[in-house]
C-alpha cells in the first residue's frame, strides 16, 4: 500500500481510504462484529485511513475495529453543524464514541459554495479553536459541488477537501467532471489535501471498476480515495487494485442496489430536501427517484422521520 501526505498537512494516509458509510445503518447495516472486523482486516492490510460522518451513525464499528490496534489510524469525520454549540456537540460525540482524544480530520459536511462555508463559519471557527487545544489535527470540508471546492480556495484555514469525483462525473453538482478536476487541481496547488469520494459513482461504475480506479489513481493531485465496501471479497479486490496486483475475475453481484420507499411515506419532502444529488421529486402521489442521479448514499433515509426510504 502506498502512502501520501494529505497536501501540506503532516498527516500521512494510505492511498485507499476505508469509506465506512456502506457498512453502517444508512446502507448495509452489518452486525457490529462483522463491520468492525472488515475495518480491522483493512487495517491489517495496510489501510490507515477511515472516512466517516456524524450522519453515518457508525462510530461504534470504528471504535471496535481500533480496540487493541497500536498503529496510528487517520479518521476523517464530518458534521452538518453550523453553530459553535452544534460543532462542540459533534466533536465531543466523535471523541467519546470513537474513544479518541484527538480527531485527526474534522470537516464541514456537504458544503456547496463559499457562501455555505461562510454560513458555517462559527462551526469552523470552533474546530479551529479545538485544533489549538489539540482536539482536532486538521479541518476540512466535503462537497459534491464544483463551487464547494472553489469556495474552499478562499479559506486558507481549510486544509483538507473530500470532493465527489469519478470517471463519469456521476453525482457532481454545479459543473462537469472536468470543471471539478480543474477546481481540485487548484486546491491541491494551494497545498490542500484531497481525498476523493464516490470513485464508483455509488455503484454505477461497478462494471468498469478498473477504469474508474485507474482514472483516479493516475491523477497526481488526489492523495487518497475513499472506497465503500461491505465484505472481504470486495476489500481484497480493492486492495489488489490499489497495490497494483492482478485482480481476480469477479462475478458481479446480481443483487443491484435500489432505493425503496414504503407505502407509509407521508410525502413530507424531507428526503427530497436532504438529497445532495437532486435525485428525488415529489409528485401528487409519490416520491419519484431519478435512477441516473441517485448514488445510493442513503442520506435521504437519514432525513426521513418515518423510516420510509432506504437503500436496499
Ligand atoms: S422523508 Fe420519508 S415520509 Fe417524508 S417524503 Fe421522504 S420518504 Fe416520505
Ligand atoms: S435519492 Fe437518497 S440515496 Fe439517492 S442520491 Fe439522493 S439522498 Fe442519496
Amino acid at each position: 500500500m502506498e502512502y501520501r501526505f494529505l497536501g501540506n498537512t503532516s498527516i500521512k494516509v494510505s492511498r485507499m481510504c476505508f469509506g465506512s458509510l456502506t457498512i453502517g445503518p444508512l446502507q448495509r447495516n452489518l452486525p457490529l462484529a462483522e463491520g468492525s472486523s472488515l475495518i480491522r482486516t483493512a487495517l491489517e492490510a495496510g489501510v490507515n485511513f477511515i472516512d466517516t460522518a456524524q450522519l453515518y451513525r457508525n462510530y461504534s464499528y470504528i471504535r471496535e475495529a481500533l480496540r487493541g490496534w497500536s498503529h496510528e489510524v487517520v479518521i476523517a469525520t464530518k458534521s452538518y453543524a453550523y453553530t459553535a454549540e452544534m460543532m462542540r456537540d459533534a466533536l465531543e460525540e466523535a471523541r467519546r464514541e470513537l474513544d479518541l482524544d484527538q480527531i485527526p480530520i474534522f470537516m464541514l459536511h456537504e458544503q456547496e459554495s463559499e457562501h455555505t462555508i461562510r454560513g458555517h463559519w462559527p462551526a469552523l471557527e470552533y474546530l479551529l479553536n479545538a485544533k489549538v487545544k489539540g482536539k482536532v489535527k486538521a479541518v476540512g470540508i466535503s462537497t459534491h459541488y464544483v463551487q464547494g471546492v472553489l469556495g474552499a480556495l478562499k479559506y486558507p484555514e481549510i486544509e483538507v477537501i473530500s470532493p465527489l469525483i469519478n470517471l463519469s462525473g456521476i453525482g457532481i453538482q454545479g459543473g462537469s467532471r472536468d470543471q471539478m478536476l480543474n477546481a481540485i487541481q487548484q486546491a491541491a496547488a494551494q497545498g490542500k489535501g484531497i481525498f476523493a469520494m464516490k470513485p464508483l459513482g455509488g455503484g454505477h461504475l461497478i462494471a468498469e471498476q478498473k477504469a474508474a480506479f485507474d482514472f483516479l489513481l493516475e491523477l497526481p493531485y488526489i492523495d487518497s480515495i475513499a472506497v465503500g465496501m461491505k465484505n472481504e471479497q470486495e476489500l481484497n479486490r480493492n486492495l489488489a487494485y490499489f497495490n497494483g496486483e492482478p485482480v481476480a475475475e469477479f462475478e458481479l453481484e446480481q443483487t443491484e442496489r435500489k432505493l425503496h420507499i414504503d407505502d407509509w411515506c407521508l410525502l413530507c419532502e424531507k428526503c427530497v430536501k436532504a438529497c445532495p444529488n437532486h435525485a428525488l421529486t415529489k409528485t401528487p402521489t409519490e416520491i419519484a427517484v431519478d435512477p441516473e442521479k441517485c448514488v445510493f448514499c442513503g442520506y435521504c433515509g437519514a432525513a426521513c422521520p418515518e423510516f420510509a426510504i432506504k437503500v436496499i
Side-chain angles (χ1 to χ4, degrees):
M1 179 64 61
E2 188 189 340
Y3 300 85
R4 290 208 186 157
F5 283 104
L6 264 177
N8 287 349
T9 72
S10 59
I11 301 173
K12 203 172 196 181
V13 293
S14 47
R15 293 280 273 152
M16 186 167 108
C17 168
F18 190 103
S20 69
L21 169 65
T22 322
I23 61 173
L26 268 53
Q27 291 199 3
R28 296 288 167 158
N29 204 16
L30 297 183
L32 180 62
E34 192 178 331
S36 59
S37 158
L38 188 63
I39 298 176
R40 183 66 170 238
T41 306
L43 296 178
E44 286 164 357
V47 173
N48 80 338
F49 192 16
I50 303 169
D51 177 58
T52 181
Q54 186 181 29
L55 178 80
Y56 301 171
R57 305 198 307 272
N58 66 5
Y59 289 157
S60 54
Y61 292 85
I62 299 169
R63 185 185 62 235
E64 287 305 309
L66 295 183
R67 203 177 285 281
W69 183 254
S70 55
H71 305 284
E72 195 177 348
V73 177
V74 178
I75 295 169
T77 190
K78 44 199 173 288
S79 166
Y80 289 111
Y82 52 88
T83 67
E85 292 74 22
M86 290 166 77
M87 189 53 91
R88 178 199 61 208
D89 291 348
L91 176 57
E92 291 310 314
E93 178 187 334
R95 292 175 72 232
R96 185 177 61 248
E97 295 198 10
L98 291 165
D99 198 18
L100 292 175
D101 288 336
Q102 183 186 61
I103 302 298
I105 301 169
F106 211 114
M107 304 183 289
L108 301 178
H109 201 155
E110 257 192 81
Q111 292 304 296
E112 296 179 8
S113 68
E114 65 172 295
H115 308 299
T116 63
I117 298 171
R118 196 179 314 122
H120 286 69
W121 185 255
L124 189 62
E125 198 171 41
Y126 184 87
L127 288 177
L128 295 171
N129 288 331
K131 189 178 153 187
V132 173
K133 292 177 187 154
K135 293 183 178 181
V136 171
K137 198 163 185 184
V139 303
I141 65 159
S142 73
T143 184
H144 295 191
Y145 282 78
V146 174
Q147 294 79 6
V149 178
L150 293 174
L153 300 180
K154 307 201 169 160
Y155 294 88
E157 296 88 348
I158 293 172
E159 303 163 275
V160 177
I161 304 177
S162 177
L164 190 158
I165 179 72
N166 54 59
L167 177 65
S168 303
I170 294 168
I172 293 172
Q173 304 296 310
S176 65
R177 179 195 80 173
D178 290 343
Q179 286 169 318
M180 180 59 106
L181 284 177
N182 184 278
I184 292 171
Q185 209 167 351
Q186 291 182 56
Q190 277 192 3
K192 297 188 193 295
I194 307 290
F195 73 100
M197 66 158 128
K198 301 271 182 285
L200 302 179
H204 290 283
L205 298 173
I206 202 94
E208 38 189 326
Q209 193 169 2
K210 181 165 181 5
F213 280 143
D214 284 350
F215 168 73
L216 291 180
L217 285 167
E218 284 165 12
L219 295 171
Y221 42 87
I222 291 185
D223 302 314
S224 183
I225 303 164
V227 190
M229 46 211 141
K230 61 182 180 302
N231 56 41
E232 281 205 23
Q233 188 183 28
E234 287 185 0
L235 171 63
N236 290 333
R237 199 171 77 261
N238 293 335
L239 284 167
Y241 279 121
F242 278 74
N243 289 332
E245 295 162 0
V247 178
E249 279 302 314
F250 176 71
E251 211 164 295
L252 287 178
E253 204 181 307
Q254 292 307 304
T255 51
E256 262 183 39
R257 284 200 280 176
K258 62 178 182 178
L259 200 64
H260 173 78
I261 303 174
D262 287 300
D263 53 13
W264 62 79
C265 163
L266 300 177
L267 298 178
C268 70
E269 285 189 273
K270 289 199 168 112
C271 56
V272 177
K273 295 189 183 95
C275 175
N277 294 326
H278 309 294
L280 299 175
T281 44
K282 183 186 165 197
T283 74
T285 54
E286 63 170 7
I287 298 295
V289 189
D290 182 340
E292 298 292 313
K293 291 184 177 169
C294 177
V295 297
F296 305 112
C297 62
Y299 286 15
C300 49
C304 177
E306 305 298 322
F307 303 102
I309 185 167
K310 54 185 89 66
V311 176
I312 56 170

